[in-house]
Amino acid sequence: MRPTDYMRLAFRNIRRQKLRSSLTVFAVVIGATSVTIMLALVTGAKGFFLDQVEANGMLQQVAISAKTDISDFSDASHGYGGNCADCIKLTDAIVDKVKIVPHVTDVARITNDGMLEAITYGSKKLSLEQTTAYDANGILTNNVLAGRDIEAGDKDGVITMTSDYADKFGFKDKYDQLIGKEVRLQTRNFYTGVGADVQPPPQCNGPCKPQEQEQKPTILTAKIVGIVDTSNSSKTIRVPLEWMRGMQQFRQYQMTEADQKLQQESCRNAHGPCNPTQHYTLLVKDMLAENGYGSLIAKVDNSKNAAAAATEIRKLGVGAADAQESIKQQLTIFNILGLVLGGIGGIALAVAAIGVVNTMVMAILERTREIGVMRAVGAKRSAVRTLFTLEASMLGFIGGVIGVAAGFGLTRVANIFVNKQLASQNVHAHDIIGLPIWLILAVIGIATLIGMLAGLYPAARAAKLDPVEALRYE
Amino acid sequence: MNSLIELRNVTKTYHLGDETLKALDNVSFTVNPGEFIAITGPSGSGKSTLANIIGGLDHPDSGSVVVDGNELAHTRDNKLSNYRNHNIGFVFQSFNLQGTNTALENVMLPLVFSHMKNKERKIRAEECLKAVGLADRLMHKPSQLSGGQRQRVAIARALAVNPKIIIADEPTGNLDSARGGEIMKLLSGLNKQGITLLVITHDMNIARTAHRIVDIRDGKIMERRG
């Protein structure tokens, strides 16, 4: 018997019992539709998540920290890389080395600092925990709600803040009104960075040590240029990196060798007791250059090269992680969700399988004589078995095809609603419930397979029939 | 002349509950090529069992069955199916046509199992339907045909594979005597063309047209000349 004959015979037999076949197929359709929708939802959500990750460039990033034992992207990416004693500091020398690692296209330097204690607008004063700064080179981006983000040319005295600060200042839903406004930033004690009024130690008589002076908090002024979404970054204010460098500067009046000479010379011409005049020089130390940045984010040319670049960067003696690992964890959740929802849809398919078994058992009872005739004219047992198995598979296949089509239609409808929802939340995405080709083929394949499995037992029964008995069957 | 069918000491027992029924009891029997044999006997006497064993639908419990050089007694299903397909044409009392298929498709059915191409099957089936006088009924379904015509379709189906033997089990049982006579005429015509014909019947008028009558009583053969 030729394959085309099997197909033709099986199809003809299905058409013969139109009502019963349609009802059986309908049950498979319900199962296939529910599996399709469930999996389409999960795949859609997963795809949406991956698109978002891809869009914010995370997959093309490698987070670098001074600590080498990081495994997670987010551990390293927040600029808390830490100063451990034996670590290689993330200085500009390291940045230059990272920049020439293959596939790395650019590097963003991040540093966080707690030297700003409070922010005041008008009469309202809010405490600050973190001030963050990073290169405005497009690697790290923010969802700007009003105004603009920090840009590469920005100088001292410019900040953006996350929306929760703006909310607390009373500008909820009117962030625009805060743009261009001036705020005061209060530093902690001992702040010696830009803007600090650092004084030389007072003159002392006799042998005196230059005593430590308490440096009073400094008030810096800044203009708000933008409000950014809190959800993307922890609540913070951001300043241009170069201003941060200035803020971290350590300024102190110290007595240099030249100062000492001046001091000695101040009494050279004196007759009798002389109180030497103490000379001091204001020394400025670039602490950021000395301690290195909190962390670095390297951008690679293609997300596929992120892992390779991370490996290469680790050879510089620093820690590096790409985003794959943390994304993997989230993808696992999607996969579990897919199994659970797919399983729920699968129950309907399992019920449909029972329907197929029932239909096939009935068909065999009805067609017992026909099976007898087929056997009498030379059909082998295997031919009978194949024929009935194929019939059952076809029921599954037809149900699968219609089910996927119905599922496709329903996902289109669902997308209309989801699109509205997304548009109302300013998310630039649409038609997120996708039906990838693999899913279409998988659902049709599973439905066909279930039909086939359901047909195995009835088909075996048909094949086992004794031709003599079958021909005599009334 | 070498015999076409040779049964030696064939025994077949059926178990119906506690009862054992000896359908064939140590039967030996030969048929020469081209013979027309009527198998008669009361119902339950074992005539159908004899026909089924010769036709390769049933196995004997003991003894040997050789048809055209094929030993059938211990042959496996696959080989037996091929044997039926190539050598035997069955004609049944109740026609056993597939109601949803046309006459042509019914006749094509055995050819499906002999790996013939669809086009060739159609040609062959048309030939057979012509041979039984139904050239103008190819596309009719059994329900659109009379009893006699249906049996002709069944005979055409039996003819399709060019069998050496046609086994007809009460072929006129469901027909009136005029139609029955026509069918017997058709079958004996095929016999004259060289096909060995075994007709199971309890109609003595039909039996008498055979070359030989094999009468079975309680599983034993009482042979008579026709």
PDB file of all heavy atoms in Angstrom, chain B residues 197-226:
ATOM      1  N   LEU B 197     -13.154 -22.444  -9.722  1.00  0.00           N
ATOM      2  CA  LEU B 197     -14.306 -21.842  -9.042  1.00  0.00           C
ATOM      3  C   LEU B 197     -14.789 -22.744  -7.919  1.00  0.00           C
ATOM      4  O   LEU B 197     -15.087 -23.917  -8.129  1.00  0.00           O
ATOM      5  CB  LEU B 197     -15.425 -21.637 -10.081  1.00  0.00           C
ATOM      6  CG  LEU B 197     -16.696 -20.948  -9.618  1.00  0.00           C
ATOM      7  CD1 LEU B 197     -16.424 -19.544  -9.124  1.00  0.00           C
ATOM      8  CD2 LEU B 197     -17.712 -20.921 -10.774  1.00  0.00           C
ATOM      9  N   LEU B 198     -14.842 -22.220  -6.702  1.00  0.00           N
ATOM     10  CA  LEU B 198     -15.432 -22.936  -5.571  1.00  0.00           C
ATOM     11  C   LEU B 198     -16.673 -22.167  -5.159  1.00  0.00           C
ATOM     12  O   LEU B 198     -16.581 -21.001  -4.790  1.00  0.00           O
ATOM     13  CB  LEU B 198     -14.480 -23.007  -4.383  1.00  0.00           C
ATOM     14  CG  LEU B 198     -13.107 -23.653  -4.572  1.00  0.00           C
ATOM     15  CD1 LEU B 198     -12.351 -23.682  -3.236  1.00  0.00           C
ATOM     16  CD2 LEU B 198     -13.250 -25.070  -5.113  1.00  0.00           C
ATOM     17  N   VAL B 199     -17.833 -22.814  -5.268  1.00  0.00           N
ATOM     18  CA  VAL B 199     -19.078 -22.152  -4.886  1.00  0.00           C
ATOM     19  C   VAL B 199     -19.699 -22.897  -3.715  1.00  0.00           C
ATOM     20  O   VAL B 199     -19.950 -24.093  -3.787  1.00  0.00           O
ATOM     21  CB  VAL B 199     -20.074 -22.103  -6.071  1.00  0.00           C
ATOM     22  CG1 VAL B 199     -21.389 -21.460  -5.635  1.00  0.00           C
ATOM     23  CG2 VAL B 199     -19.466 -21.327  -7.228  1.00  0.00           C
ATOM     24  N   ILE B 200     -19.886 -22.159  -2.630  1.00  0.00           N
ATOM     25  CA  ILE B 200     -20.577 -22.751  -1.488  1.00  0.00           C
ATOM     26  C   ILE B 200     -22.064 -22.461  -1.682  1.00  0.00           C
ATOM     27  O   ILE B 200     -22.451 -21.302  -1.907  1.00  0.00           O
ATOM     28  CB  ILE B 200     -20.105 -22.119  -0.177  1.00  0.00           C
ATOM     29  CG1 ILE B 200     -18.611 -22.406   0.015  1.00  0.00           C
ATOM     30  CG2 ILE B 200     -20.914 -22.649   1.004  1.00  0.00           C
ATOM     31  CD1 ILE B 200     -17.979 -21.588   1.098  1.00  0.00           C
ATOM     32  N   THR B 201     -22.871 -23.486  -1.640  1.00  0.00           N
ATOM     33  CA  THR B 201     -24.300 -23.263  -1.862  1.00  0.00           C
ATOM     34  C   THR B 201     -25.103 -24.377  -1.218  1.00  0.00           C
ATOM     35  O   THR B 201     -24.584 -25.452  -0.938  1.00  0.00           O
ATOM     36  CB  THR B 201     -24.601 -23.196  -3.372  1.00  0.00           C
ATOM     37  OG1 THR B 201     -25.977 -22.885  -3.554  1.00  0.00           O
ATOM     38  CG2 THR B 201     -24.292 -24.500  -4.075  1.00  0.00           C
ATOM     39  N   HIS B 202     -26.354 -24.073  -0.895  1.00  0.00           N
ATOM     40  CA  HIS B 202     -27.213 -25.202  -0.545  1.00  0.00           C
ATOM     41  C   HIS B 202     -28.355 -25.340  -1.569  1.00  0.00           C
ATOM     42  O   HIS B 202     -29.319 -26.027  -1.375  1.00  0.00           O
ATOM     43  CB  HIS B 202     -27.746 -25.099   0.892  1.00  0.00           C
ATOM     44  CG  HIS B 202     -28.368 -23.779   1.213  1.00  0.00           C
ATOM     45  ND1 HIS B 202     -27.770 -22.883   2.049  1.00  0.00           N
ATOM     46  CD2 HIS B 202     -29.501 -23.218   0.787  1.00  0.00           C
ATOM     47  CE1 HIS B 202     -28.522 -21.800   2.134  1.00  0.00           C
ATOM     48  NE2 HIS B 202     -29.588 -21.989   1.373  1.00  0.00           N
ATOM     49  N   ASP B 203     -28.181 -24.612  -2.656  1.00  0.00           N
ATOM     50  CA  ASP B 203     -29.153 -24.696  -3.761  1.00  0.00           C
ATOM     51  C   ASP B 203     -28.692 -25.792  -4.713  1.00  0.00           C
ATOM     52  O   ASP B 203     -27.682 -25.644  -5.399  1.00  0.00           O
ATOM     53  CB  ASP B 203     -29.197 -23.326  -4.459  1.00  0.00           C
ATOM     54  CG  ASP B 203     -30.248 -23.290  -5.561  1.00  0.00           C
ATOM     55  OD1 ASP B 203     -30.645 -24.369  -6.045  1.00  0.00           O
ATOM     56  OD2 ASP B 203     -30.644 -22.162  -5.924  1.00  0.00           O
ATOM     57  N   MET B 204     -29.413 -26.921  -4.733  1.00  0.00           N
ATOM     58  CA  MET B 204     -28.970 -28.060  -5.534  1.00  0.00           C
ATOM     59  C   MET B 204     -28.989 -27.752  -7.024  1.00  0.00           C
ATOM     60  O   MET B 204     -28.218 -28.319  -7.797  1.00  0.00           O
ATOM     61  CB  MET B 204     -29.826 -29.308  -5.231  1.00  0.00           C
ATOM     62  CG  MET B 204     -29.459 -29.980  -3.906  1.00  0.00           C
ATOM     63  SD  MET B 204     -27.661 -30.068  -3.598  1.00  0.00           S
ATOM     64  CE  MET B 204     -27.199 -31.322  -4.800  1.00  0.00           C
ATOM     65  N   ASN B 205     -29.881 -26.834  -7.462  1.00  0.00           N
ATOM     66  CA  ASN B 205     -29.908 -26.461  -8.882  1.00  0.00           C
ATOM     67  C   ASN B 205     -28.580 -25.828  -9.287  1.00  0.00           C
ATOM     68  O   ASN B 205     -28.058 -26.071 -10.373  1.00  0.00           O
ATOM     69  CB  ASN B 205     -31.040 -25.467  -9.151  1.00  0.00           C
ATOM     70  CG  ASN B 205     -32.392 -26.130  -9.009  1.00  0.00           C
ATOM     71  OD1 ASN B 205     -32.527 -27.328  -9.288  1.00  0.00           O
ATOM     72  ND2 ASN B 205     -33.368 -25.365  -8.562  1.00  0.00           N
ATOM     73  N   ILE B 206     -28.033 -25.042  -8.399  1.00  0.00           N
ATOM     74  CA  ILE B 206     -26.743 -24.413  -8.682  1.00  0.00           C
ATOM     75  C   ILE B 206     -25.637 -25.461  -8.591  1.00  0.00           C
ATOM     76  O   ILE B 206     -24.772 -25.559  -9.466  1.00  0.00           O
ATOM     77  CB  ILE B 206     -26.474 -23.260  -7.694  1.00  0.00           C
ATOM     78  CG1 ILE B 206     -27.381 -22.071  -8.040  1.00  0.00           C
ATOM     79  CG2 ILE B 206     -25.015 -22.847  -7.707  1.00  0.00           C
ATOM     80  CD1 ILE B 206     -27.383 -20.978  -7.032  1.00  0.00           C
ATOM     81  N   ALA B 207     -25.710 -26.292  -7.544  1.00  0.00           N
ATOM     82  CA  ALA B 207     -24.689 -27.299  -7.331  1.00  0.00           C
ATOM     83  C   ALA B 207     -24.567 -28.210  -8.552  1.00  0.00           C
ATOM     84  O   ALA B 207     -23.464 -28.610  -8.945  1.00  0.00           O
ATOM     85  CB  ALA B 207     -25.006 -28.107  -6.079  1.00  0.00           C
ATOM     86  N   ARG B 208     -25.710 -28.512  -9.132  1.00  0.00           N
ATOM     87  CA  ARG B 208     -25.677 -29.442 -10.272  1.00  0.00           C
ATOM     88  C   ARG B 208     -24.926 -28.892 -11.484  1.00  0.00           C
ATOM     89  O   ARG B 208     -24.485 -29.639 -12.326  1.00  0.00           O
ATOM     90  CB  ARG B 208     -27.118 -29.823 -10.673  1.00  0.00           C
ATOM     91  CG  ARG B 208     -27.578 -31.085  -9.963  1.00  0.00           C
ATOM     92  CD  ARG B 208     -28.846 -31.600 -10.612  1.00  0.00           C
ATOM     93  NE  ARG B 208     -30.023 -30.829 -10.199  1.00  0.00           N
ATOM     94  CZ  ARG B 208     -30.712 -31.080  -9.077  1.00  0.00           C
ATOM     95  NH1 ARG B 208     -30.353 -32.051  -8.281  1.00  0.00           N
ATOM     96  NH2 ARG B 208     -31.764 -30.360  -8.762  1.00  0.00           N
ATOM     97  N   THR B 209     -24.788 -27.538 -11.591  1.00  0.00           N
ATOM     98  CA  THR B 209     -24.059 -26.985 -12.744  1.00  0.00           C
ATOM     99  C   THR B 209     -22.554 -27.163 -12.582  1.00  0.00           C
ATOM    100  O   THR B 209     -21.793 -26.926 -13.504  1.00  0.00           O
ATOM    101  CB  THR B 209     -24.362 -25.486 -12.924  1.00  0.00           C
ATOM    102  OG1 THR B 209     -23.931 -24.797 -11.758  1.00  0.00           O
ATOM    103  CG2 THR B 209     -25.853 -25.254 -13.141  1.00  0.00           C
ATOM    104  N   ALA B 210     -22.091 -27.570 -11.384  1.00  0.00           N
ATOM    105  CA  ALA B 210     -20.651 -27.702 -11.133  1.00  0.00           C
ATOM    106  C   ALA B 210     -20.113 -29.004 -11.710  1.00  0.00           C
ATOM    107  O   ALA B 210     -20.871 -29.916 -12.024  1.00  0.00           O
ATOM    108  CB  ALA B 210     -20.390 -27.664  -9.633  1.00  0.00           C
ATOM    109  N   HIS B 211     -18.772 -29.042 -11.864  1.00  0.00           N
ATOM    110  CA  HIS B 211     -18.152 -30.290 -12.313  1.00  0.00           C
ATOM    111  C   HIS B 211     -18.254 -31.337 -11.225  1.00  0.00           C
ATOM    112  O   HIS B 211     -18.366 -32.509 -11.487  1.00  0.00           O
ATOM    113  CB  HIS B 211     -16.663 -30.074 -12.639  1.00  0.00           C
ATOM    114  CG  HIS B 211     -16.426 -29.021 -13.667  1.00  0.00           C
ATOM    115  ND1 HIS B 211     -15.241 -28.316 -13.782  1.00  0.00           N
ATOM    116  CD2 HIS B 211     -17.228 -28.537 -14.651  1.00  0.00           C
ATOM    117  CE1 HIS B 211     -15.308 -27.447 -14.760  1.00  0.00           C
ATOM    118  NE2 HIS B 211     -16.534 -27.567 -15.317  1.00  0.00           N
ATOM    119  N   ARG B 212     -18.140 -30.881 -10.006  1.00  0.00           N
ATOM    120  CA  ARG B 212     -18.136 -31.806  -8.878  1.00  0.00           C
ATOM    121  C   ARG B 212     -18.894 -31.189  -7.731  1.00  0.00           C
ATOM    122  O   ARG B 212     -18.849 -29.968  -7.540  1.00  0.00           O
ATOM    123  CB  ARG B 212     -16.694 -32.010  -8.393  1.00  0.00           C
ATOM    124  CG  ARG B 212     -16.060 -33.299  -8.881  1.00  0.00           C
ATOM    125  CD  ARG B 212     -14.890 -33.673  -7.998  1.00  0.00           C
ATOM    126  NE  ARG B 212     -13.804 -32.696  -8.025  1.00  0.00           N
ATOM    127  CZ  ARG B 212     -12.823 -32.692  -7.126  1.00  0.00           C
ATOM    128  NH1 ARG B 212     -12.831 -33.562  -6.123  1.00  0.00           N
ATOM    129  NH2 ARG B 212     -11.847 -31.825  -7.206  1.00  0.00           N
ATOM    130  N   ILE B 213     -19.555 -32.019  -6.965  1.00  0.00           N
ATOM    131  CA  ILE B 213     -20.199 -31.524  -5.756  1.00  0.00           C
ATOM    132  C   ILE B 213     -19.477 -32.147  -4.566  1.00  0.00           C
ATOM    133  O   ILE B 213     -19.270 -33.358  -4.517  1.00  0.00           O
ATOM    134  CB  ILE B 213     -21.681 -31.906  -5.708  1.00  0.00           C
ATOM    135  CG1 ILE B 213     -22.431 -31.236  -6.871  1.00  0.00           C
ATOM    136  CG2 ILE B 213     -22.298 -31.483  -4.369  1.00  0.00           C
ATOM    137  CD1 ILE B 213     -23.873 -31.672  -6.999  1.00  0.00           C
ATOM    138  N   VAL B 214     -19.050 -31.311  -3.638  1.00  0.00           N
ATOM    139  CA  VAL B 214     -18.431 -31.806  -2.416  1.00  0.00           C
ATOM    140  C   VAL B 214     -19.422 -31.534  -1.302  1.00  0.00           C
ATOM    141  O   VAL B 214     -19.697 -30.391  -0.964  1.00  0.00           O
ATOM    142  CB  VAL B 214     -17.092 -31.095  -2.165  1.00  0.00           C
ATOM    143  CG1 VAL B 214     -16.523 -31.500  -0.815  1.00  0.00           C
ATOM    144  CG2 VAL B 214     -16.121 -31.412  -3.284  1.00  0.00           C
ATOM    145  N   ASP B 215     -19.971 -32.572  -0.772  1.00  0.00           N
ATOM    146  CA  ASP B 215     -20.983 -32.441   0.263  1.00  0.00           C
ATOM    147  C   ASP B 215     -20.319 -32.654   1.616  1.00  0.00           C
ATOM    148  O   ASP B 215     -19.606 -33.628   1.813  1.00  0.00           O
ATOM    149  CB  ASP B 215     -22.080 -33.476   0.021  1.00  0.00           C
ATOM    150  CG  ASP B 215     -23.321 -33.161   0.829  1.00  0.00           C
ATOM    151  OD1 ASP B 215     -23.626 -31.947   1.006  1.00  0.00           O
ATOM    152  OD2 ASP B 215     -23.974 -34.109   1.294  1.00  0.00           O
ATOM    153  N   ILE B 216     -20.528 -31.744   2.522  1.00  0.00           N
ATOM    154  CA  ILE B 216     -19.901 -31.877   3.835  1.00  0.00           C
ATOM    155  C   ILE B 216     -20.974 -32.115   4.883  1.00  0.00           C
ATOM    156  O   ILE B 216     -21.967 -31.380   4.955  1.00  0.00           O
ATOM    157  CB  ILE B 216     -19.076 -30.627   4.191  1.00  0.00           C
ATOM    158  CG1 ILE B 216     -17.997 -30.398   3.129  1.00  0.00           C
ATOM    159  CG2 ILE B 216     -18.435 -30.756   5.563  1.00  0.00           C
ATOM    160  CD1 ILE B 216     -17.063 -29.270   3.426  1.00  0.00           C
ATOM    161  N   ARG B 217     -20.763 -33.126   5.673  1.00  0.00           N
ATOM    162  CA  ARG B 217     -21.681 -33.429   6.784  1.00  0.00           C
ATOM    163  C   ARG B 217     -20.845 -33.613   8.044  1.00  0.00           C
ATOM    164  O   ARG B 217     -19.943 -34.459   8.057  1.00  0.00           O
ATOM    165  CB  ARG B 217     -22.438 -34.747   6.528  1.00  0.00           C
ATOM    166  CG  ARG B 217     -23.191 -34.809   5.235  1.00  0.00           C
ATOM    167  CD  ARG B 217     -24.632 -34.356   5.404  1.00  0.00           C
ATOM    168  NE  ARG B 217     -25.134 -33.908   4.101  1.00  0.00           N
ATOM    169  CZ  ARG B 217     -26.404 -33.642   3.848  1.00  0.00           C
ATOM    170  NH1 ARG B 217     -27.299 -33.767   4.814  1.00  0.00           N
ATOM    171  NH2 ARG B 217     -26.787 -33.234   2.663  1.00  0.00           N
ATOM    172  N   ASP B 218     -21.112 -32.827   9.049  1.00  0.00           N
ATOM    173  CA  ASP B 218     -20.391 -32.934  10.322  1.00  0.00           C
ATOM    174  C   ASP B 218     -18.875 -32.976  10.126  1.00  0.00           C
ATOM    175  O   ASP B 218     -18.178 -33.774  10.733  1.00  0.00           O
ATOM    176  CB  ASP B 218     -20.832 -34.204  11.075  1.00  0.00           C
ATOM    177  CG  ASP B 218     -22.324 -34.164  11.375  1.00  0.00           C
ATOM    178  OD1 ASP B 218     -22.823 -33.023  11.608  1.00  0.00           O
ATOM    179  OD2 ASP B 218     -22.970 -35.219  11.331  1.00  0.00           O
ATOM    180  N   GLY B 219     -18.380 -32.137   9.242  1.00  0.00           N
ATOM    181  CA  GLY B 219     -16.935 -32.010   9.078  1.00  0.00           C
ATOM    182  C   GLY B 219     -16.307 -33.073   8.211  1.00  0.00           C
ATOM    183  O   GLY B 219     -15.089 -33.112   8.062  1.00  0.00           O
ATOM    184  N   LYS B 220     -17.129 -33.950   7.637  1.00  0.00           N
ATOM    185  CA  LYS B 220     -16.567 -34.989   6.760  1.00  0.00           C
ATOM    186  C   LYS B 220     -17.108 -34.823   5.345  1.00  0.00           C
ATOM    187  O   LYS B 220     -18.224 -34.356   5.143  1.00  0.00           O
ATOM    188  CB  LYS B 220     -16.937 -36.381   7.286  1.00  0.00           C
ATOM    189  CG  LYS B 220     -16.167 -36.750   8.560  1.00  0.00           C
ATOM    190  CD  LYS B 220     -16.432 -38.201   8.888  1.00  0.00           C
ATOM    191  CE  LYS B 220     -16.008 -38.549  10.305  1.00  0.00           C
ATOM    192  NZ  LYS B 220     -14.581 -38.380  10.571  1.00  0.00           N
ATOM    193  N   ILE B 221     -16.254 -35.178   4.365  1.00  0.00           N
ATOM    194  CA  ILE B 221     -16.635 -34.990   2.971  1.00  0.00           C
ATOM    195  C   ILE B 221     -17.330 -36.225   2.412  1.00  0.00           C
ATOM    196  O   ILE B 221     -16.866 -37.348   2.579  1.00  0.00           O
ATOM    197  CB  ILE B 221     -15.386 -34.677   2.117  1.00  0.00           C
ATOM    198  CG1 ILE B 221     -14.934 -33.234   2.423  1.00  0.00           C
ATOM    199  CG2 ILE B 221     -15.667 -34.849   0.626  1.00  0.00           C
ATOM    200  CD1 ILE B 221     -13.810 -32.760   1.560  1.00  0.00           C
ATOM    201  N   MET B 222     -18.478 -35.987   1.804  1.00  0.00           N
ATOM    202  CA  MET B 222     -19.159 -37.042   1.041  1.00  0.00           C
ATOM    203  C   MET B 222     -19.184 -36.542  -0.399  1.00  0.00           C
ATOM    204  O   MET B 222     -19.988 -35.691  -0.737  1.00  0.00           O
ATOM    205  CB  MET B 222     -20.619 -37.230   1.506  1.00  0.00           C
ATOM    206  CG  MET B 222     -20.831 -37.069   2.985  1.00  0.00           C
ATOM    207  SD  MET B 222     -20.656 -38.672   3.729  1.00  0.00           S
ATOM    208  CE  MET B 222     -20.737 -38.283   5.438  1.00  0.00           C
ATOM    209  N   GLU B 223     -18.269 -37.024  -1.221  1.00  0.00           N
ATOM    210  CA  GLU B 223     -18.165 -36.453  -2.557  1.00  0.00           C
ATOM    211  C   GLU B 223     -19.111 -37.134  -3.537  1.00  0.00           C
ATOM    212  O   GLU B 223     -19.343 -38.321  -3.477  1.00  0.00           O
ATOM    213  CB  GLU B 223     -16.732 -36.564  -3.065  1.00  0.00           C
ATOM    214  CG  GLU B 223     -16.461 -35.612  -4.195  1.00  0.00           C
ATOM    215  CD  GLU B 223     -14.968 -35.402  -4.405  1.00  0.00           C
ATOM    216  OE1 GLU B 223     -14.190 -35.521  -3.429  1.00  0.00           O
ATOM    217  OE2 GLU B 223     -14.603 -35.129  -5.544  1.00  0.00           O
ATOM    218  N   ARG B 224     -19.681 -36.283  -4.394  1.00  0.00           N
ATOM    219  CA  ARG B 224     -20.541 -36.807  -5.445  1.00  0.00           C
ATOM    220  C   ARG B 224     -20.150 -36.137  -6.747  1.00  0.00           C
ATOM    221  O   ARG B 224     -19.682 -35.016  -6.764  1.00  0.00           O
ATOM    222  CB  ARG B 224     -22.012 -36.470  -5.158  1.00  0.00           C
ATOM    223  CG  ARG B 224     -22.593 -37.160  -3.961  1.00  0.00           C
ATOM    224  CD  ARG B 224     -24.065 -36.899  -3.925  1.00  0.00           C
ATOM    225  NE  ARG B 224     -24.338 -35.528  -3.530  1.00  0.00           N
ATOM    226  CZ  ARG B 224     -25.579 -35.080  -3.287  1.00  0.00           C
ATOM    227  NH1 ARG B 224     -26.627 -35.877  -3.454  1.00  0.00           N
ATOM    228  NH2 ARG B 224     -25.782 -33.847  -2.919  1.00  0.00           N
ATOM    229  N   ARG B 225     -20.369 -36.828  -7.822  1.00  0.00           N
ATOM    230  CA  ARG B 225     -20.193 -36.210  -9.148  1.00  0.00           C
ATOM    231  C   ARG B 225     -21.352 -35.275  -9.401  1.00  0.00           C
ATOM    232  O   ARG B 225     -22.477 -35.539  -9.001  1.00  0.00           O
ATOM    233  CB  ARG B 225     -20.188 -37.298 -10.231  1.00  0.00           C
ATOM    234  CG  ARG B 225     -18.888 -38.031 -10.369  1.00  0.00           C
ATOM    235  CD  ARG B 225     -17.834 -37.159 -11.090  1.00  0.00           C
ATOM    236  NE  ARG B 225     -16.519 -37.459 -10.507  1.00  0.00           N
ATOM    237  CZ  ARG B 225     -15.486 -36.601 -10.560  1.00  0.00           C
ATOM    238  NH1 ARG B 225     -15.634 -35.426 -11.124  1.00  0.00           N
ATOM    239  NH2 ARG B 225     -14.348 -36.924 -10.060  1.00  0.00           N
ATOM    240  N   GLY B 226     -21.117 -34.166 -10.077  1.00  0.00           N
ATOM    241  CA  GLY B 226     -22.217 -33.272 -10.408  1.00  0.00           C
ATOM    242  C   GLY B 226     -22.922 -33.705 -11.683  1.00  0.00           C
ATOM    243  O   GLY B 226     -22.541 -34.667 -12.322  1.00  0.00           O
TER     244      GLY B 226
END
